[in-house]
Amino acid sequence: MIQPARHDAVGAPAPVGRARLVASITARVLDGQAVAVHGPRGMGRSTVLDLVTAGLPHAITVRLQRLGTPGHGAALIAGAFPPETLDELPERMRTGLLDPGSLPSGDPAVLLGDALTELLTTQAGRAPFVLVIDDGQHLDPLTLTAMRTAASRSLGPGALGILISVGPPEVSPDTGFVPSLAAARELELLHLELLPLAGADTVEMLTAAGVPTDTALWAHRESGGNPGLAHDIARAVDGLPPAEATRAVHSLVRQEALSLSGPVRTTLRRVAAMHQPTTAVLTRLGGDEAVASLRTARALALLVSEDEYVRLTPTALGDVLLESIDSDELVGLHRELAAHADSDALDRYHLALAGDTATTPADLAAAAAETAARGEHDLAAHLYLLAADAGTAERDEWITCCLENAVIGKETRVLQRAIEGAARLAEPGHRVRADLALVELGDVSPDEVLVTALQAAREHPDLQARVLLQRARLLLGTHDLRTALDLARRAVELAERAGRPDIEVEALTVVASVTRTLGDGGSRALIDAAAGLAGPPRPGQVHTSARYIAARFALHDDDLRRARAEFVDMLAGVGPDAGYDTVHVLRSLVEIVARQGRGREALELAGRATRAATHFDTPVATTWYIEAIAESVGGTFERTAVVSGRGVELAREQEDERYLRRQLAHLGLARLHLDELDEAVAAFRELRSIDEASGIRDVTSLRWHTDGIMALALVGEVDEAADLLARVREEIDAGRGAPGVVIAADRAEAEIAAARGDLDLARRLASRSATAAAERRLPIEQARSLVTLAHVERRARRTGRSREAAARAREVLRPLHAHPWTAWVQDRFPEGAALHTLEPEEPEGGDPQTLLASLTLTEQQVAALVADGASNREIAQRLHLSVKTVEGTLTRVYRKSGLRSRTQLAALVLGHGPR
């Protein structure tokens, strides 16, 4: 079914989502290491291999296509070497390599190992090289043994690397399973597993091929991030309406499903019929046969693991597998699953599907209520639907509960039936609750539905309060925050009149959040009042609770110890099945550790959030934002720019202003620290425009302002930078700041002072900022302020103090694994470099001709094309250079000229002098 995943964009240095991996593998094999890249079908192993090979000075490549006779692989490897290398081998060894069948009796593995060792040693003596083997799963056992012998020996002088891709072997006709590759993993190589693509990467890959964003998002979910399968799914549904698209995907997997062996089909049918299937339960049901079946399904890209859970890819595979058995077999399957269920609720669920008459609708509804109380809203939705199907007097209540839980639990398998059932509701209470759930789902026009719901609730103040509160929440993603605040305040009054403290708490929480965003003051007292009224938050609603928002306020106030303790406790309490709650609590923890500079932990937490979000089918906007945060402290700024840039595009398409602001902030941060200053300024100016239109004055939650000030100062827009700084200082003076904001404001003001030539003021501000950051244990802020101080001291020709500040910045970052910041400091102040290599002295008077005369011919050509408005890619094409060379040339130009942006450089070339 799956075609090879040739998913690299034309002209790109690496396929989408694989650049970091390709660079790492290339560096390792050039250093003489042996690397094996493993992955299931369609994951793009050959593409990665090709890209690494393209970056090697000399590679000997062998492509295997099938499992051959003993020694077949060694013969193919030997045949790929230059004839002159083979000619240097003793005749007996050469003959044995090219024709392993001619090896004398005894121990052919030893003889073949010796010959292979001699071949590699001889080639390494002639010139450094890398041996590249594609589809290493087809290596025969004799060759594997010989390679193990060669890999364990010292091969003498000369750099030598080995790179192998290892995919799934062919399904064994005897067992019906994909054989284990334990022998290949025993080779003394570094074994790397090729991981699925992140959602942003799948979307970038598919949209570049003309696939609509919504289809690309769906294909990512259905493929589990497997690029080959994602392409197949997107291709199958291209341009089709929903009903036909469903049939197309069924057709895509039907032949694959029918070709599976009986044991594998049995295991995958259990997966399809189970609710939240886990490897542990499946192994308990099927033993070793289940283990082999799951290994086979993973290798064939039919199943993915998400922490302890497993999921079929695509989802349609489960439908096809269950459709292929008769009703008696299906009943037997559900009875088997009921007997091995981990809870009473699951037992009743499977018994009901098996047609057990002893399981009553009331039993199912009671189990649903208990399950919902534990936060398992997806299972609760199934149970309520089964109860409602009985058609008893409680049907309307149960179908309403089904819809509410399906929306909270993102349980798409029952949503359509719940929506159809809710369309027939008449009682105002049920009707309003259903309407609110539909609005939360996002598939209806919220204004129209909420107006209708408000009319239905006119005699019920508690229902009116819920409708107004829902409308207020929807407005949080728009410019109309004042209206949201008014609606939330009215909801508080109505809830109080109705005697509904639970609704009152929810409304007060929204009032507190909006008040803080608008900078009205009093938000802390409001959230404390809400927390005082609140009971334990409902499962699935923790991320909107007063306790959660109070912890968010602590984070914004830089009370990181308290915030971390609260969120860690929440994470322990939300349970493994609370998808939305889990994702949002993890998001907050990522923000905390990012502010603390703990890059490795940020990436680990972000990975957990992504897996939970994928498993529970929560919106990708949140996970992309989490990934951008984590990448900005533990990954690279290049990757941050890619993810946040894709997030900006998605937010624009979905008209989601909240996530547009969040992603623009990280896009600007990344561009600023990649020296792409014009792009950074554009992002920050858009943010300022949004905030002014919405009346947003908060400077503590989304801290883009000081980054914007620095970007503006660096491109010479000093007056605009000063105006933005004045706004930040106004909020600080009004008591609506936070320690970290004050620290960043001092650093930003130092940049303005330096741009105006007041180096003494810049030095005092940068020093004060660095000292305060150290006292507050904010290491990223401290390092950034020290870098600003180092630049100021360098301009003041205080060489020793500049070096000292840069060294302190490196020392602050050294234990943190904050890789983007470490690389950023190193790029500006290379450890051990002489001061004159870092930033040249500015010529007297800043004469443009003197500045330009100091550039090489290539640097002058690049500068001239920048002045013409050419992009880096256009410059590369016109000068026959790589884009990377153009970027490096521009960096040297900036350092020589003392400039920081394309705008300044263009002005210089055009004779206007530095801005």
Side-chain angles (χ1 to χ4, degrees):
M1 178 177 69
I2 302 176
Q3 300 299 315
R6 315 300 299 192
H7 55 284
D8 47 313
V10 176
V16 174
R18 303 294 195 209
R20 190 184 300 169
L21 177 67
V22 168
S24 174
I25 295 174
T26 303
R28 288 178 183 277
V29 296
L30 286 175
D31 194 38
Q33 295 188 47
V35 179
V37 179
H38 298 259
R41 184 173 60 180
M43 199 59 81
R45 298 179 316 279
S46 295
T47 302
V48 169
L49 219 65
D50 289 345
L51 284 152
V52 173
T53 302
L56 302 175
H58 182 48
I60 295 176
T61 302
V62 181
R63 295 188 182 274
L64 307 176
Q65 294 183 344
R66 59 181 176 81
L67 184 62
T69 57
H72 175 71
L76 288 175
I77 292 171
F81 277 72
E84 53 268 28
T85 300
L86 288 167
D87 289 342
E88 290 188 32
L89 301 183
E91 183 178 353
R92 179 176 57 85
M93 285 187 171
R94 183 171 63 252
T95 302
L97 280 172
L98 296 175
D99 182 15
S102 67
L103 289 169
S105 58
D107 193 346
V110 173
L111 296 174
L112 197 61
D114 291 341
L116 194 58
T117 300
E118 190 64 25
L119 175 68
L120 299 176
T121 303
T122 301
Q123 182 64 33
R126 296 173 64 85
F129 78 106
V130 175
L131 174 60
V132 180
I133 302 175
D134 199 3
D135 283 333
Q137 69 273 15
H138 296 315
L139 286 169
D140 58 277
L142 179 58
T143 301
L144 275 171
T145 303
M147 287 190 66
R148 192 178 303 118
T149 300
S152 65
R153 294 175 176 175
S154 174
L155 301 177
L160 170 69
I162 299 176
L163 176 61
I164 305 176
S165 83
V166 184
E170 298 297 322
V171 175
S172 168
D174 298 325
T175 65
F177 302 128
V178 166
S180 171
L181 286 173
R185 289 187 178 273
E186 289 174 6
L187 288 173
E188 294 185 10
L189 294 86
L190 174 64
H191 294 275
L192 300 176
E193 199 70 35
L194 198 55
L195 299 177
L197 293 182
D201 295 325
T202 304
V203 170
E204 184 174 355
M205 174 186 74
L206 293 178
T207 52
V211 177
T213 300
D214 55 351
T215 302
L217 287 167
W218 177 73
H220 172 75
R221 160 74 183 172
E222 289 295 293
S223 68
N226 183 298
L229 181 55
H231 269 302
D232 284 349
I233 292 172
R235 192 181 301 115
V237 303
D238 184 27
L240 297 177
E244 292 183 29
T246 300
R247 287 195 293 271
V249 178
H250 276 71
S251 177
L252 181 69
V253 299
R254 184 167 287 110
Q255 191 58 44
E256 183 84 35
L258 295 177
S259 68
L260 297 171
S261 66
V264 176
R265 283 203 304 271
T266 296
T267 298
L268 296 190
R269 281 183 183 131
R270 288 171 178 152
V271 174
M274 288 173 67
H275 177 78
Q276 306 293 10
T278 64
T279 301
V281 174
L282 290 163
T283 303
R284 193 164 70 233
L285 283 164
D288 291 342
E289 196 170 79
V291 172
S293 296
L294 292 173
R295 183 183 67 239
T296 298
R298 288 190 185 95
L300 299 179
L302 302 177
L303 179 142
V304 292
S305 298
E306 291 160 352
D307 290 333
E308 70 265 39
Y309 301 106
V310 296
R311 178 168 62 86
L312 296 177
T313 51
T315 307
L317 176 61
D319 298 332
V320 171
L321 288 166
L322 293 179
E323 288 167 0
S324 64
I325 60 175
D326 61 33
S327 58
D328 289 341
E329 288 179 289
L330 188 58
V331 166
L333 175 59
H334 281 294
R335 287 196 177 279
E336 176 193 47
L337 295 174
H340 291 82
D342 287 335
S343 68
D344 289 341
L346 278 174
D347 179 36
R348 290 177 179 177
Y349 169 70
H350 286 296
L351 286 175
L353 290 173
D356 181 61
T357 56
T359 305
T360 67
D363 292 336
L364 293 169
E370 294 168 4
T371 303
R374 292 197 302 269
E376 298 177 47
H377 296 282
D378 44 0
L379 178 56
H382 281 280
L383 290 165
Y384 274 126
L385 184 60
L386 288 170
D389 281 345
T392 63
E394 299 88 351
R395 176 198 172 278
D396 285 0
E397 172 64 18
W398 291 340
I399 201 70
T400 304
C401 289
C402 170
L403 181 59
E404 290 174 327
N405 281 276
V407 169
I408 295 173
K410 306 299 177 185
E411 187 46 81
T412 56
R413 290 174 291 179
V414 301
L415 262 176
Q416 191 55 45
R417 287 194 58 201
I419 291 169
E420 292 169 359
R424 297 190 293 274
L425 295 171
E427 193 273 327
H430 293 139
R431 181 70 260 165
V432 171
R433 285 168 56 194
D435 285 344
L436 292 175
L438 291 171
V439 168
E440 184 73 23
L441 186 62
D443 287 346
V444 295
S445 170
D447 289 330
E448 182 179 330
V449 172
L450 290 175
V451 167
T452 302
L454 199 57
Q455 291 173 347
R458 58 185 176 275
E459 297 180 6
H460 305 273
D462 58 329
L463 294 179
Q464 290 182 54
R466 291 187 62 179
V467 173
L468 294 177
L469 183 56
Q470 181 71 297
R471 181 61 181 149
R473 284 173 171 157
L474 290 174
L475 290 174
L476 295 181
T478 71
H479 288 319
D480 203 358
L481 294 180
R482 286 291 172 190
T483 301
L485 182 58
D486 291 341
L487 291 173
R489 284 171 172 162
R490 285 174 58 194
V492 171
E493 296 169 3
L494 287 165
E496 189 175 11
R497 188 194 315 164
R500 290 291 302 273
D502 55 333
I503 302 176
E504 184 180 354
V505 166
E506 291 182 39
L508 276 171
T509 301
V510 173
V511 171
S513 296
V514 181
T515 298
R516 179 158 189 147
T517 301
L518 294 172
D520 286 353
S523 59
R524 172 58 66 186
L526 285 166
I527 201 64
D528 288 344
L533 287 172
R538 291 180 294 158
Q541 302 296 302
V542 171
H543 66 287
T544 61
S545 68
R547 182 189 180 192
Y548 178 87
I549 299 303
R552 293 286 305 172
F553 282 11
L555 166 60
H556 300 334
D557 292 336
D558 288 321
D559 190 353
L560 301 185
R561 180 176 297 179
R562 175 190 166 192
R564 182 181 176 87
E566 284 287 304
F567 286 123
V568 167
D569 189 54
M570 283 183 221
L571 187 62
V574 295
D577 295 320
Y580 232 43
D581 284 346
T582 301
V583 171
H584 279 280
V585 173
L586 284 169
R587 165 208 161 190
S588 295
L589 285 170
V590 169
E591 290 181 77
I592 291 168
V593 299
R595 202 168 293 176
Q596 294 171 328
R598 293 151 66 172
R600 181 178 295 170
E601 187 176 356
L603 290 173
E604 290 173 354
L605 290 168
R608 287 177 60 186
T610 298
R611 291 192 296 274
T614 301
H615 182 74
F616 292 102
D617 200 20
T618 54
V620 298
T622 302
T623 53
W624 290 6
Y625 179 53
I626 295 170
E627 186 180 354
I629 298 169
E631 284 289 340
S632 70
V633 70
T636 65
F637 285 127
E638 290 84 357
R639 178 68 183 164
T640 306
V642 168
V643 176
S644 55
R646 176 57 62 184
V648 166
E649 294 175 16
L650 180 64
R652 293 195 204 284
E653 290 181 18
Q654 297 181 343
E655 298 182 347
D656 186 341
E657 195 166 278
R658 274 181 294 185
Y659 277 98
L660 177 59
R661 292 182 68 244
R662 291 167 182 173
Q663 293 287 19
L664 279 171
H666 274 78
L667 181 61
L669 173 77
R671 297 298 188 199
L672 171 62
H673 291 89
L674 291 170
D675 288 327
E676 297 169 359
L677 298 180
D678 293 336
E679 293 88 342
V681 167
F684 293 130
R685 280 174 172 162
E686 183 175 359
L687 266 167
R688 186 173 189 181
S689 175
I690 293 171
D691 283 8
E692 289 176 350
S694 304
I696 296 173
R697 297 184 62 85
D698 179 38
V699 295
T700 62
S701 58
L702 196 62
R703 301 184 178 186
W704 64 267
H705 308 79
T706 48
D707 290 330
I709 292 165
M710 293 178 70
L712 288 165
L714 291 174
V715 299
E717 301 291 352
V718 179
D719 291 342
E720 186 179 352
D723 179 65
L724 184 54
L725 176 65
R727 174 187 160 186
V728 175
R729 291 291 191 197
E730 182 181 345
E731 295 302 307
I732 293 171
D733 294 343
R736 295 190 291 269
V741 175
V742 176
I743 289 164
D746 281 348
R747 181 176 64 249
E749 189 172 352
E751 291 285 355
I752 293 176
R756 287 173 168 167
D758 191 343
L759 299 185
D760 288 338
L761 176 59
R763 182 183 300 112
R764 289 196 300 273
L765 287 165
S767 298
R768 185 170 78 185
S769 177
T771 300
E775 291 171 352
R776 297 293 306 191
R777 296 186 179 180
L778 297 172
I780 300 297
E781 296 296 333
Q782 183 184 0
R784 295 181 68 181
S785 298
L786 286 168
V787 167
T788 295
L789 178 60
H791 277 297
V792 171
E793 298 289 18
R794 191 160 68 187
R795 287 188 59 184
R797 306 294 183 263
R798 300 171 69 158
T799 304
R801 293 193 178 187
S802 178
R803 286 190 182 129
E804 179 186 356
R808 284 170 58 203
R810 286 193 294 271
E811 195 61 32
V812 167
L813 295 172
R814 202 178 304 279
L816 296 177
H817 304 287
H819 301 301
W821 297 102
T822 301
W824 176 71
V825 174
Q826 180 66 17
D827 181 61
R828 280 149 183 76
F829 293 92
E831 200 163 5
L835 187 65
H836 69 271
T837 68
L838 304 178
E839 186 170 21
E841 296 184 3
E842 298 175 12
E844 290 296 325
D847 176 56
Q849 296 306 315
T850 305
L851 289 172
L852 292 173
S854 69
L855 305 180
T856 67
L857 177 60
T858 299
E859 289 167 352
Q860 290 179 16
Q861 289 174 323
V862 169
L865 288 172
V866 166
D868 287 341
S871 68
N872 286 359
R873 186 169 295 279
E874 290 169 337
I875 295 171
Q877 291 171 346
R878 290 163 72 173
L879 296 181
H880 303 289
L881 302 170
S882 70
V883 175
K884 197 171 189 66
T885 299
V886 173
E887 292 169 350
T889 302
L890 270 175
T891 299
R892 292 194 301 274
V893 169
Y894 291 146
R895 285 177 177 165
K896 287 184 177 182
S897 63
L899 305 177
R900 296 290 184 89
S901 73
R902 299 172 85 90
T903 303
Q904 289 180 309
L905 181 57
L908 175 69
V909 173
L910 295 173
H912 302 307
R915 294 172 63 188

